Amino acid sequence: QWIHVDPERAARESPWKATIAHGYLTLSLYPMRRGLVDGERPVFEGRVDLDGLELVTSPGAAPVEGISGTLQLTPGRITTDDLRLRWNGNVAVAGAMTLDGLAVSGLRLNVHLDDVRSEPFPGLRTTVTGDLVLLGDGDVRSARGELRMVRGIYDEDLDLSIQGLLGSRRGGAGTGPEPTRFDDVALE
């Protein structure tokens, strides 16, 4: 909602004249602010049921919508077998993350993608479906599985001439002719 992410509108229309934190954020900070947990090494235990939560990662970014499912929290570990979200398509996640304090120290996630849209590099827009296994420590270090491109559109100029393809490998022996504009090509 605009009151959380739109500073200009909030300055005009909000009674606080600024954006405000989500209620979930405010609620999550309460135990630490009251000194009820060790801020360096908190212990998470219990169950978190999510139903239709929306997450905006940064202004202008596509929101992660409709987050639903259950997280099981045990000391040093978060597991799920039914986390679902809509983010440029439908994503289902099962697996576990290990924690060292607040930092992720290990992960193994099974991810199913269903018609997820992305732009892997400028000019190429794709829609993919498939399954991946993500492994790592604080970062994803390995992604294995099978993805099927359901749709792909490349809409940039492309120089497929021999000079264009090999010109830089021949010591810059001249540049090829300017590429011509072509219609968007749909790969089905």
Side-chain angles (χ1 to χ4, degrees):
Q1 293 185 2
W2 63 267
I3 199 162
H4 304 296
V5 297
D6 188 342
E8 292 160 1
R9 184 173 176 189
R12 286 190 319 268
E13 299 178 30
S14 164
W16 300 277
K17 302 301 180 202
T19 57
I20 62 170
H22 284 272
Y24 286 116
L25 174 62
T26 306
L27 184 61
S28 71
L29 295 175
Y30 177 79
M32 191 160 53
R33 299 290 303 191
R34 297 277 298 151
L36 302 174
V37 295
D38 176 2
E40 296 296 316
R41 301 194 60 78
V43 175
F44 300 104
E45 287 190 75
R47 174 184 166 127
V48 178
D49 291 315
L50 303 170
D51 183 20
L53 187 67
E54 184 171 304
L55 173 67
V56 178
T57 57
S58 62
V64 180
E65 304 172 329
I67 302 171
S68 61
T70 303
L71 302 176
Q72 293 291 340
L73 308 175
T74 54
R77 190 173 174 89
I78 300 173
T79 59
T80 185
D81 61 2
D82 67 346
L83 188 64
R84 298 188 178 280
L85 51 103
R86 285 188 313 273
W87 180 64
N88 293 328
N90 295 308
V91 180
V93 179
M97 293 189 316
T98 54
L99 301 174
D100 182 16
L102 292 174
V104 174
S105 59
L107 64 90
R108 179 186 172 91
L109 301 173
N110 300 314
V111 180
H112 175 74
L113 306 173
D114 187 26
D115 290 336
V116 174
R117 296 172 308 281
S118 69
E119 187 171 344
F121 57 85
L124 179 63
R125 295 186 313 272
T126 65
T127 303
V128 298
T129 295
D131 295 291
L132 294 173
V133 175
L134 306 178
L135 304 171
D137 44 29
D139 297 314
V140 174
R141 301 290 181 194
S142 169
R144 298 182 185 139
E146 183 175 318
L147 291 178
R148 182 172 55 91
M149 184 167 41
V150 176
R151 183 165 192 250
I153 297 175
Y154 186 77
D155 63 0
E156 295 285 324
D157 287 338
L158 185 62
D159 181 5
L160 293 176
S161 68
I162 296 296
Q163 294 87 0
L165 294 172
L166 300 176
S168 64
R169 294 179 184 220
R170 293 186 176 187
T175 60
E178 287 293 314
T180 59
R181 182 74 190 154
F182 61 91
D183 295 332
D184 293 350
V185 176
L187 305 173
E188 302 277 344

